[in-house]
Amino acid sequence: MKIFKINIRKSVLAMVAGTMITTGCAYEVAEIVRPDINKTEDPVAVLKIDTLPPSVPIEHVGGLHTEADFTRIKTKLAAGDERITAGWNKLTANSHAQATYTANPVVKLVRGGGSREEPDPDNYSRAMNDVAAAYQLALRWKISGDDAYAQAAVNILNAWASTCERISGDTNTALAGGIYGYQFAVAAELLRDYPGWNIEEFEAYKKWMKDVFYSLNMAFLTSHWGTCDSHYWANWDLVNLASVMAIGILTDNRSIYNYAVDYLQNGNGNGNWYKAINHVFDGENDGLAQIQESGRDQGHTVMVIGILGHIAQLAWNQGDDFYGLDDNRYLKASEYVAKYNVANLEVPFHEYTRKWAANCAQTEVHTQISSVGKGANRPIWAGPYYHYTKIKGKQAIYTGLGVESVHPEGGGGDYGPNSGGFDQLGFGTLMYTLD
């Protein structure tokens, strides 16, 4: 039985040498104060999902996917289930999911190259392709039982951990640290129980994740590169929070995991759940919620739905219900984005003012939803759809249309060669379909 922790902690979080520690903890039941969900200004900071003491062990159930998931999938494949079979065939057809895949690690991972900060050119496509392969190979191993896929995945991860020393570039290093950080951690967590992964290599890999990715995640989240907290769009914070959360799980460090849980509810940046989903509608538009990037473009807006889904699923498997946070706020956001991008229907828009630059000295006002990139095709819908409709018993009409629009969902390599096709891990048809 899944037990959820709701609003029972008071703590002071401090950062010492790049590692989160919890001090001065006292645990008590506290009154839940509901924020005004229709405010776009800074919402009332209320912690509604509790953080546990650092001594409480992390649940190693597979990160995004559990053994129960794999048992269900194998049973359905054996029974010839059409949707699961379609998802499996999509995975096995991907060039990244082949046991012959060879890693291409680099000593210096560059995103934001050709810049004043880093004259060398970008090479982050190496990371995005290799980590997509590691994840896909791990799935093939878990489902088929063929160790050749696990070994191929481990070879990729070991190659990166033994080669890559740092991430370089301009401000975009934060995107590399976040996107590839969470993906490298998720892939490794899936392979934790593979007996062929040497314990010394696994420990070295975990250290690499903390030294190269977690350190960068925290540098960005705590400084926003010297700008005001609202300068960076929601996706920047969210990918780094996904990385912090996944690395906390991988490295058995609840204090790291707790940082992400706390920031998602109380953080000053746009990765705060109430700022990323910055307005909830009522009245005739009840059931819809606007994304902070909705007035910017739809490619990034759709990306935010995908990253929120990964965060919610990682947390769900630790017993934390971000899916249900604030009366299923994420569901309302998913419905809003799918209604506009998939169903091609009009949606309401609540005026949004973005404050940015140092000391929030500049502002821009969005008065209407952006049509730029409308209809962005990404494999993000199956996760929220099946969770809300099959686990929570909610309606998700437009999200369901999203599921059908990309059926069966693929992953990195199925949506073009550019970074957007690799921002999310995908394969939701295979991994999340429930009866």
Side-chain angles (χ1 to χ4, degrees):
M1 182 176 70
K2 190 175 289 289
I3 299 174
F4 297 106
K5 292 101 56 187
I6 303 294
N7 205 38
I8 58 172
R9 89 96 157 102
K10 291 182 178 179
S11 67
V12 178
L13 291 174
M15 185 130 103
V16 178
T19 301
M20 292 305 303
I21 62 172
T22 304
T23 63
C25 293
Y27 296 88
E28 64 184 33
V29 176
E31 179 183 359
I32 294 177
V33 180
R34 180 183 174 84
D36 181 352
I37 59 176
N38 291 311
K39 288 180 65 177
T40 54
E41 302 81 38
D42 291 349
V44 179
V46 177
L47 187 66
K48 296 180 68 178
I49 296 177
D50 178 49
T51 54
L52 294 178
S55 60
V56 176
I58 289 288
E59 298 288 339
H60 291 295
V61 295
L64 286 175
H65 315 301
T66 68
E67 284 304 315
D69 293 328
F70 291 111
T71 297
R72 180 188 72 250
I73 291 164
K74 288 184 279 189
T75 299
K76 286 184 173 294
L77 278 175
D81 182 275
E82 290 184 4
R83 294 190 77 86
I84 297 298
T85 299
W88 173 247
N89 290 341
K90 189 75 171 178
L91 172 65
T92 59
N94 192 301
S95 63
H96 296 71
Q98 309 309 312
T100 54
Y101 188 96
T102 303
N104 295 282
V106 293
V107 174
K108 180 177 65 177
L109 174 57
V110 180
R111 182 158 181 166
S115 61
R116 179 187 62 187
E117 296 86 353
E118 176 51 74
D120 287 343
D122 285 340
N123 61 16
Y124 63 88
S125 63
R126 303 272 199 99
M128 74 187 194
N129 279 280
D130 283 6
V131 73
Y135 172 72
Q136 294 174 30
L137 288 162
L139 293 185
R140 287 198 73 171
W141 168 61
K142 283 285 191 178
I143 295 168
S144 72
D146 187 338
D147 285 354
Y149 298 111
Q151 190 60 55
V154 165
N155 290 344
I156 294 169
L157 301 187
N158 283 341
W160 274 89
S162 62
T163 302
C164 182
E165 297 175 357
R166 63 191 178 96
I167 301 172
S168 184
D170 58 16
T171 59
N172 285 280
T173 56
L175 293 176
I179 297 169
Y180 314 127
Y182 92 77
Q183 294 179 351
F184 271 117
V186 165
E189 185 66 17
L190 278 172
L191 293 158
R192 172 182 289 275
D193 59 346
Y194 171 54
W197 199 353
N198 179 282
I199 186 63
E200 289 80 13
E201 292 174 337
F202 183 52
E203 291 301 316
Y205 186 85
K206 291 191 290 184
K207 183 178 185 299
W208 175 70
M209 290 298 308
K210 290 181 69 175
D211 290 349
V212 174
F213 290 95
Y214 171 69
S215 61
L216 179 56
N217 301 149
M218 292 302 297
F220 173 73
L221 290 167
T222 56
S223 75
H224 290 113
W225 302 153
T227 64
C228 70
D229 288 324
S230 60
H231 175 89
Y232 285 94
W233 299 98
N235 79 86
W236 289 66
D237 265 17
L238 289 170
V239 294
N240 280 277
L241 290 165
S243 181
V244 168
M245 180 174 279
I247 291 171
I249 293 169
L250 176 67
T251 62
D252 301 288
N253 193 317
R254 184 164 291 278
S255 292
I256 291 177
Y257 175 83
N258 281 350
Y259 178 88
V261 170
D262 183 82
Y263 191 108
L264 285 161
Q265 297 167 95
N266 292 326
N268 292 326
N270 287 318
N272 181 312
W273 210 256
Y274 301 98
K275 295 183 179 183
I277 307 171
N278 72 320
H279 184 84
V280 177
F281 296 94
D282 55 16
E284 65 179 358
N285 294 307
D286 185 44
L288 300 176
Q290 184 174 305
I291 292 292
Q292 186 256 349
E293 304 205 38
S294 295
R296 179 192 185 194
D297 65 62
Q298 295 309 304
H300 287 98
T301 299
V302 172
M303 175 188 177
V304 167
I305 294 297
I307 301 301
L308 288 171
H310 283 326
I311 290 171
Q313 189 63 24
L314 284 169
W316 176 261
N317 287 333
Q318 293 299 317
D320 292 323
D321 189 8
F322 278 93
Y323 284 111
L325 185 63
D326 192 36
D327 192 24
N328 304 298
R329 193 180 184 98
Y330 173 46
L331 170 61
K332 297 169 187 177
S334 181
E335 287 290 272
Y336 178 88
V337 176
K339 183 175 182 180
Y340 187 66
N341 284 276
V342 180
N344 198 30
L345 296 173
E346 293 301 313
V347 293
F349 190 84
H350 187 86
E351 183 175 298
Y352 172 69
T353 299
R354 175 187 172 227
K355 298 178 181 179
W356 60 288
N359 301 316
C360 291
Q362 299 187 51
T363 61
E364 62 181 87
V365 180
H366 295 169
T367 59
Q368 61 184 16
I369 193 167
S370 173
S371 62
V372 175
K374 186 177 182 181
N377 183 27
R378 295 198 184 204
I380 63 168
W381 305 111
Y385 175 77
Y386 285 104
H387 183 91
Y388 283 114
T389 60
K390 302 303 182 182
I391 294 176
K392 286 190 161 25
K394 305 292 183 181
Q395 283 194 329
I397 296 171
Y398 300 112
T399 304
L401 294 177
V403 171
E404 296 307 317
S405 73
V406 290
H407 174 77
E409 285 186 6
D414 289 319
Y415 300 91
N418 297 325
S419 60
F422 291 80
D423 288 343
Q424 52 287 304
L425 291 165
F427 297 102
T429 305
L430 176 64
M431 300 311 304
Y432 298 116
T433 298
L434 299 172
D435 290 331

PDB file of all heavy atoms in Angstrom, residues 314-338:
ATOM      1  N   LEU A 314       8.637   9.881 -10.616  1.00  0.00           N
ATOM      2  CA  LEU A 314       9.732   9.578  -9.697  1.00  0.00           C
ATOM      3  C   LEU A 314       9.272   9.720  -8.250  1.00  0.00           C
ATOM      4  O   LEU A 314       9.558   8.871  -7.402  1.00  0.00           O
ATOM      5  CB  LEU A 314      10.917  10.518  -9.955  1.00  0.00           C
ATOM      6  CG  LEU A 314      11.776  10.242 -11.184  1.00  0.00           C
ATOM      7  CD1 LEU A 314      12.720  11.417 -11.438  1.00  0.00           C
ATOM      8  CD2 LEU A 314      12.578   8.947 -11.018  1.00  0.00           C
ATOM      9  N   ALA A 315       8.560  10.808  -7.974  1.00  0.00           N
ATOM     10  CA  ALA A 315       8.091  11.057  -6.609  1.00  0.00           C
ATOM     11  C   ALA A 315       7.021  10.047  -6.196  1.00  0.00           C
ATOM     12  O   ALA A 315       7.005   9.587  -5.042  1.00  0.00           O
ATOM     13  CB  ALA A 315       7.546  12.481  -6.502  1.00  0.00           C
ATOM     14  N   TRP A 316       6.129   9.694  -7.107  1.00  0.00           N
ATOM     15  CA  TRP A 316       5.074   8.725  -6.811  1.00  0.00           C
ATOM     16  C   TRP A 316       5.663   7.406  -6.326  1.00  0.00           C
ATOM     17  O   TRP A 316       5.170   6.793  -5.373  1.00  0.00           O
ATOM     18  CB  TRP A 316       4.230   8.496  -8.060  1.00  0.00           C
ATOM     19  CG  TRP A 316       3.178   7.450  -7.936  1.00  0.00           C
ATOM     20  CD1 TRP A 316       3.237   6.157  -8.359  1.00  0.00           C
ATOM     21  CD2 TRP A 316       1.874   7.600  -7.333  1.00  0.00           C
ATOM     22  NE1 TRP A 316       2.068   5.491  -8.085  1.00  0.00           N
ATOM     23  CE2 TRP A 316       1.211   6.353  -7.453  1.00  0.00           C
ATOM     24  CE3 TRP A 316       1.213   8.658  -6.731  1.00  0.00           C
ATOM     25  CZ2 TRP A 316      -0.082   6.140  -6.979  1.00  0.00           C
ATOM     26  CZ3 TRP A 316      -0.080   8.457  -6.254  1.00  0.00           C
ATOM     27  CH2 TRP A 316      -0.713   7.209  -6.370  1.00  0.00           C
ATOM     28  N   ASN A 317       6.743   6.985  -6.970  1.00  0.00           N
ATOM     29  CA  ASN A 317       7.378   5.722  -6.581  1.00  0.00           C
ATOM     30  C   ASN A 317       8.185   5.836  -5.296  1.00  0.00           C
ATOM     31  O   ASN A 317       8.666   4.824  -4.781  1.00  0.00           O
ATOM     32  CB  ASN A 317       8.247   5.200  -7.725  1.00  0.00           C
ATOM     33  CG  ASN A 317       7.413   4.643  -8.863  1.00  0.00           C
ATOM     34  OD1 ASN A 317       6.285   4.192  -8.656  1.00  0.00           O
ATOM     35  ND2 ASN A 317       7.953   4.674 -10.073  1.00  0.00           N
ATOM     36  N   GLN A 318       8.301   7.056  -4.760  1.00  0.00           N
ATOM     37  CA  GLN A 318       8.860   7.264  -3.423  1.00  0.00           C
ATOM     38  C   GLN A 318       7.763   7.531  -2.398  1.00  0.00           C
ATOM     39  O   GLN A 318       8.053   7.747  -1.218  1.00  0.00           O
ATOM     40  CB  GLN A 318       9.839   8.450  -3.440  1.00  0.00           C
ATOM     41  CG  GLN A 318      11.093   8.207  -4.249  1.00  0.00           C
ATOM     42  CD  GLN A 318      11.921   7.046  -3.734  1.00  0.00           C
ATOM     43  OE1 GLN A 318      12.116   6.894  -2.529  1.00  0.00           O
ATOM     44  NE2 GLN A 318      12.415   6.214  -4.650  1.00  0.00           N
ATOM     45  N   GLY A 319       6.492   7.504  -2.820  1.00  0.00           N
ATOM     46  CA  GLY A 319       5.379   7.733  -1.908  1.00  0.00           C
ATOM     47  C   GLY A 319       4.938   9.165  -1.808  1.00  0.00           C
ATOM     48  O   GLY A 319       4.197   9.525  -0.886  1.00  0.00           O
ATOM     49  N   ASP A 320       5.356  10.025  -2.755  1.00  0.00           N
ATOM     50  CA  ASP A 320       5.004  11.448  -2.736  1.00  0.00           C
ATOM     51  C   ASP A 320       4.110  11.764  -3.931  1.00  0.00           C
ATOM     52  O   ASP A 320       4.493  11.525  -5.083  1.00  0.00           O
ATOM     53  CB  ASP A 320       6.259  12.314  -2.777  1.00  0.00           C
ATOM     54  CG  ASP A 320       7.080  12.193  -1.504  1.00  0.00           C
ATOM     55  OD1 ASP A 320       6.479  12.083  -0.425  1.00  0.00           O
ATOM     56  OD2 ASP A 320       8.324  12.202  -1.596  1.00  0.00           O
ATOM     57  N   ASP A 321       2.946  12.341  -3.678  1.00  0.00           N
ATOM     58  CA  ASP A 321       1.931  12.484  -4.721  1.00  0.00           C
ATOM     59  C   ASP A 321       1.904  13.882  -5.328  1.00  0.00           C
ATOM     60  O   ASP A 321       1.019  14.692  -5.038  1.00  0.00           O
ATOM     61  CB  ASP A 321       0.553  12.138  -4.156  1.00  0.00           C
ATOM     62  CG  ASP A 321      -0.510  12.046  -5.230  1.00  0.00           C
ATOM     63  OD1 ASP A 321      -0.185  12.101  -6.432  1.00  0.00           O
ATOM     64  OD2 ASP A 321      -1.690  11.935  -4.870  1.00  0.00           O
ATOM     65  N   PHE A 322       2.852  14.164  -6.224  1.00  0.00           N
ATOM     66  CA  PHE A 322       2.794  15.423  -6.958  1.00  0.00           C
ATOM     67  C   PHE A 322       1.704  15.396  -8.022  1.00  0.00           C
ATOM     68  O   PHE A 322       1.239  16.457  -8.442  1.00  0.00           O
ATOM     69  CB  PHE A 322       4.157  15.740  -7.582  1.00  0.00           C
ATOM     70  CG  PHE A 322       5.114  16.386  -6.611  1.00  0.00           C
ATOM     71  CD1 PHE A 322       5.995  15.618  -5.876  1.00  0.00           C
ATOM     72  CD2 PHE A 322       5.097  17.753  -6.413  1.00  0.00           C
ATOM     73  CE1 PHE A 322       6.861  16.202  -4.969  1.00  0.00           C
ATOM     74  CE2 PHE A 322       5.955  18.353  -5.509  1.00  0.00           C
ATOM     75  CZ  PHE A 322       6.843  17.579  -4.782  1.00  0.00           C
ATOM     76  N   TYR A 323       1.304  14.232  -8.460  1.00  0.00           N
ATOM     77  CA  TYR A 323       0.159  14.173  -9.372  1.00  0.00           C
ATOM     78  C   TYR A 323      -1.064  14.823  -8.734  1.00  0.00           C
ATOM     79  O   TYR A 323      -1.813  15.563  -9.376  1.00  0.00           O
ATOM     80  CB  TYR A 323      -0.186  12.721  -9.700  1.00  0.00           C
ATOM     81  CG  TYR A 323       0.712  12.018 -10.670  1.00  0.00           C
ATOM     82  CD1 TYR A 323       1.558  10.987 -10.254  1.00  0.00           C
ATOM     83  CD2 TYR A 323       0.699  12.342 -12.026  1.00  0.00           C
ATOM     84  CE1 TYR A 323       2.362  10.303 -11.149  1.00  0.00           C
ATOM     85  CE2 TYR A 323       1.494  11.665 -12.931  1.00  0.00           C
ATOM     86  CZ  TYR A 323       2.329  10.647 -12.495  1.00  0.00           C
ATOM     87  OH  TYR A 323       3.120   9.981 -13.389  1.00  0.00           O
ATOM     88  N   GLY A 324      -1.296  14.526  -7.466  1.00  0.00           N
ATOM     89  CA  GLY A 324      -2.500  15.011  -6.798  1.00  0.00           C
ATOM     90  C   GLY A 324      -2.341  16.360  -6.140  1.00  0.00           C
ATOM     91  O   GLY A 324      -3.327  16.926  -5.653  1.00  0.00           O
ATOM     92  N   LEU A 325      -1.120  16.911  -6.127  1.00  0.00           N
ATOM     93  CA  LEU A 325      -0.870  18.167  -5.426  1.00  0.00           C
ATOM     94  C   LEU A 325      -1.816  19.271  -5.888  1.00  0.00           C
ATOM     95  O   LEU A 325      -2.021  19.473  -7.082  1.00  0.00           O
ATOM     96  CB  LEU A 325       0.580  18.600  -5.655  1.00  0.00           C
ATOM     97  CG  LEU A 325       1.046  19.838  -4.882  1.00  0.00           C
ATOM     98  CD1 LEU A 325       1.012  19.599  -3.386  1.00  0.00           C
ATOM     99  CD2 LEU A 325       2.447  20.245  -5.331  1.00  0.00           C
ATOM    100  N   ASP A 326      -2.388  19.982  -4.924  1.00  0.00           N
ATOM    101  CA  ASP A 326      -3.287  21.103  -5.187  1.00  0.00           C
ATOM    102  C   ASP A 326      -4.435  20.713  -6.125  1.00  0.00           C
ATOM    103  O   ASP A 326      -4.623  21.295  -7.192  1.00  0.00           O
ATOM    104  CB  ASP A 326      -2.519  22.289  -5.762  1.00  0.00           C
ATOM    105  CG  ASP A 326      -3.365  23.560  -5.764  1.00  0.00           C
ATOM    106  OD1 ASP A 326      -4.152  23.763  -4.820  1.00  0.00           O
ATOM    107  OD2 ASP A 326      -3.246  24.350  -6.725  1.00  0.00           O
ATOM    108  N   ASP A 327      -5.176  19.703  -5.683  1.00  0.00           N
ATOM    109  CA  ASP A 327      -6.365  19.288  -6.418  1.00  0.00           C
ATOM    110  C   ASP A 327      -6.032  18.936  -7.868  1.00  0.00           C
ATOM    111  O   ASP A 327      -6.691  19.379  -8.801  1.00  0.00           O
ATOM    112  CB  ASP A 327      -7.433  20.380  -6.358  1.00  0.00           C
ATOM    113  CG  ASP A 327      -8.793  19.907  -6.846  1.00  0.00           C
ATOM    114  OD1 ASP A 327      -9.056  18.685  -6.795  1.00  0.00           O
ATOM    115  OD2 ASP A 327      -9.593  20.765  -7.291  1.00  0.00           O
ATOM    116  N   ASN A 328      -4.984  18.110  -8.043  1.00  0.00           N
ATOM    117  CA  ASN A 328      -4.597  17.612  -9.371  1.00  0.00           C
ATOM    118  C   ASN A 328      -4.261  18.752 -10.344  1.00  0.00           C
ATOM    119  O   ASN A 328      -4.655  18.743 -11.512  1.00  0.00           O
ATOM    120  CB  ASN A 328      -5.711  16.729  -9.953  1.00  0.00           C
ATOM    121  CG  ASN A 328      -6.065  15.582  -9.038  1.00  0.00           C
ATOM    122  OD1 ASN A 328      -5.245  14.724  -8.751  1.00  0.00           O
ATOM    123  ND2 ASN A 328      -7.297  15.583  -8.541  1.00  0.00           N
ATOM    124  N   ARG A 329      -3.477  19.684  -9.855  1.00  0.00           N
ATOM    125  CA  ARG A 329      -3.091  20.854 -10.657  1.00  0.00           C
ATOM    126  C   ARG A 329      -2.405  20.446 -11.965  1.00  0.00           C
ATOM    127  O   ARG A 329      -2.622  21.062 -13.017  1.00  0.00           O
ATOM    128  CB  ARG A 329      -2.173  21.739  -9.813  1.00  0.00           C
ATOM    129  CG  ARG A 329      -1.922  23.152 -10.352  1.00  0.00           C
ATOM    130  CD  ARG A 329      -0.994  23.905  -9.409  1.00  0.00           C
ATOM    131  NE  ARG A 329      -0.762  25.290  -9.786  1.00  0.00           N
ATOM    132  CZ  ARG A 329      -1.411  26.339  -9.270  1.00  0.00           C
ATOM    133  NH1 ARG A 329      -2.336  26.157  -8.349  1.00  0.00           N
ATOM    134  NH2 ARG A 329      -1.130  27.575  -9.671  1.00  0.00           N
ATOM    135  N   TYR A 330      -1.578  19.405 -11.894  1.00  0.00           N
ATOM    136  CA  TYR A 330      -0.867  18.955 -13.088  1.00  0.00           C
ATOM    137  C   TYR A 330      -1.830  18.418 -14.147  1.00  0.00           C
ATOM    138  O   TYR A 330      -1.637  18.648 -15.350  1.00  0.00           O
ATOM    139  CB  TYR A 330       0.171  17.907 -12.698  1.00  0.00           C
ATOM    140  CG  TYR A 330       0.869  17.220 -13.843  1.00  0.00           C
ATOM    141  CD1 TYR A 330       1.366  17.929 -14.928  1.00  0.00           C
ATOM    142  CD2 TYR A 330       1.046  15.835 -13.834  1.00  0.00           C
ATOM    143  CE1 TYR A 330       2.012  17.286 -15.972  1.00  0.00           C
ATOM    144  CE2 TYR A 330       1.699  15.186 -14.873  1.00  0.00           C
ATOM    145  CZ  TYR A 330       2.172  15.914 -15.944  1.00  0.00           C
ATOM    146  OH  TYR A 330       2.809  15.277 -16.984  1.00  0.00           O
ATOM    147  N   LEU A 331      -2.861  17.703 -13.744  1.00  0.00           N
ATOM    148  CA  LEU A 331      -3.859  17.226 -14.697  1.00  0.00           C
ATOM    149  C   LEU A 331      -4.480  18.394 -15.455  1.00  0.00           C
ATOM    150  O   LEU A 331      -4.658  18.339 -16.684  1.00  0.00           O
ATOM    151  CB  LEU A 331      -4.954  16.436 -13.971  1.00  0.00           C
ATOM    152  CG  LEU A 331      -6.197  16.083 -14.794  1.00  0.00           C
ATOM    153  CD1 LEU A 331      -5.843  15.207 -15.992  1.00  0.00           C
ATOM    154  CD2 LEU A 331      -7.235  15.389 -13.913  1.00  0.00           C
ATOM    155  N   LYS A 332      -4.814  19.452 -14.742  1.00  0.00           N
ATOM    156  CA  LYS A 332      -5.441  20.624 -15.371  1.00  0.00           C
ATOM    157  C   LYS A 332      -4.489  21.272 -16.376  1.00  0.00           C
ATOM    158  O   LYS A 332      -4.917  21.747 -17.437  1.00  0.00           O
ATOM    159  CB  LYS A 332      -5.862  21.614 -14.298  1.00  0.00           C
ATOM    160  CG  LYS A 332      -6.925  21.059 -13.358  1.00  0.00           C
ATOM    161  CD  LYS A 332      -7.155  21.939 -12.149  1.00  0.00           C
ATOM    162  CE  LYS A 332      -8.102  21.267 -11.151  1.00  0.00           C
ATOM    163  NZ  LYS A 332      -8.293  22.067  -9.927  1.00  0.00           N
ATOM    164  N   ALA A 333      -3.197  21.287 -16.058  1.00  0.00           N
ATOM    165  CA  ALA A 333      -2.216  21.825 -16.989  1.00  0.00           C
ATOM    166  C   ALA A 333      -2.088  20.942 -18.226  1.00  0.00           C
ATOM    167  O   ALA A 333      -2.010  21.431 -19.360  1.00  0.00           O
ATOM    168  CB  ALA A 333      -0.866  21.953 -16.291  1.00  0.00           C
ATOM    169  N   SER A 334      -2.077  19.633 -18.018  1.00  0.00           N
ATOM    170  CA  SER A 334      -1.992  18.710 -19.141  1.00  0.00           C
ATOM    171  C   SER A 334      -3.197  18.863 -20.062  1.00  0.00           C
ATOM    172  O   SER A 334      -3.064  18.869 -21.296  1.00  0.00           O
ATOM    173  CB  SER A 334      -1.899  17.268 -18.622  1.00  0.00           C
ATOM    174  OG  SER A 334      -1.787  16.348 -19.683  1.00  0.00           O
ATOM    175  N   GLU A 335      -4.373  18.995 -19.481  1.00  0.00           N
ATOM    176  CA  GLU A 335      -5.588  19.183 -20.281  1.00  0.00           C
ATOM    177  C   GLU A 335      -5.547  20.487 -21.077  1.00  0.00           C
ATOM    178  O   GLU A 335      -5.947  20.547 -22.239  1.00  0.00           O
ATOM    179  CB  GLU A 335      -6.820  19.165 -19.368  1.00  0.00           C
ATOM    180  CG  GLU A 335      -7.182  17.786 -18.840  1.00  0.00           C
ATOM    181  CD  GLU A 335      -7.725  16.891 -19.945  1.00  0.00           C
ATOM    182  OE1 GLU A 335      -8.947  16.911 -20.183  1.00  0.00           O
ATOM    183  OE2 GLU A 335      -6.922  16.167 -20.565  1.00  0.00           O
ATOM    184  N   TYR A 336      -5.037  21.535 -20.468  1.00  0.00           N
ATOM    185  CA  TYR A 336      -4.931  22.848 -21.125  1.00  0.00           C
ATOM    186  C   TYR A 336      -3.998  22.765 -22.335  1.00  0.00           C
ATOM    187  O   TYR A 336      -4.349  23.197 -23.441  1.00  0.00           O
ATOM    188  CB  TYR A 336      -4.396  23.849 -20.101  1.00  0.00           C
ATOM    189  CG  TYR A 336      -4.179  25.258 -20.599  1.00  0.00           C
ATOM    190  CD1 TYR A 336      -5.215  26.204 -20.557  1.00  0.00           C
ATOM    191  CD2 TYR A 336      -2.929  25.673 -21.069  1.00  0.00           C
ATOM    192  CE1 TYR A 336      -5.004  27.511 -20.971  1.00  0.00           C
ATOM    193  CE2 TYR A 336      -2.708  26.975 -21.486  1.00  0.00           C
ATOM    194  CZ  TYR A 336      -3.756  27.894 -21.437  1.00  0.00           C
ATOM    195  OH  TYR A 336      -3.538  29.200 -21.843  1.00  0.00           O
ATOM    196  N   VAL A 337      -2.824  22.188 -22.122  1.00  0.00           N
ATOM    197  CA  VAL A 337      -1.831  22.124 -23.191  1.00  0.00           C
ATOM    198  C   VAL A 337      -2.297  21.189 -24.305  1.00  0.00           C
ATOM    199  O   VAL A 337      -2.135  21.490 -25.495  1.00  0.00           O
ATOM    200  CB  VAL A 337      -0.471  21.683 -22.624  1.00  0.00           C
ATOM    201  CG1 VAL A 337       0.555  21.502 -23.737  1.00  0.00           C
ATOM    202  CG2 VAL A 337       0.038  22.717 -21.607  1.00  0.00           C
ATOM    203  N   ALA A 338      -2.911  20.078 -23.962  1.00  0.00           N
ATOM    204  CA  ALA A 338      -3.405  19.157 -24.983  1.00  0.00           C
ATOM    205  C   ALA A 338      -4.605  19.731 -25.732  1.00  0.00           C
ATOM    206  O   ALA A 338      -4.754  19.517 -26.938  1.00  0.00           O
ATOM    207  CB  ALA A 338      -3.776  17.822 -24.342  1.00  0.00           C
TER     208      ALA A 338
END
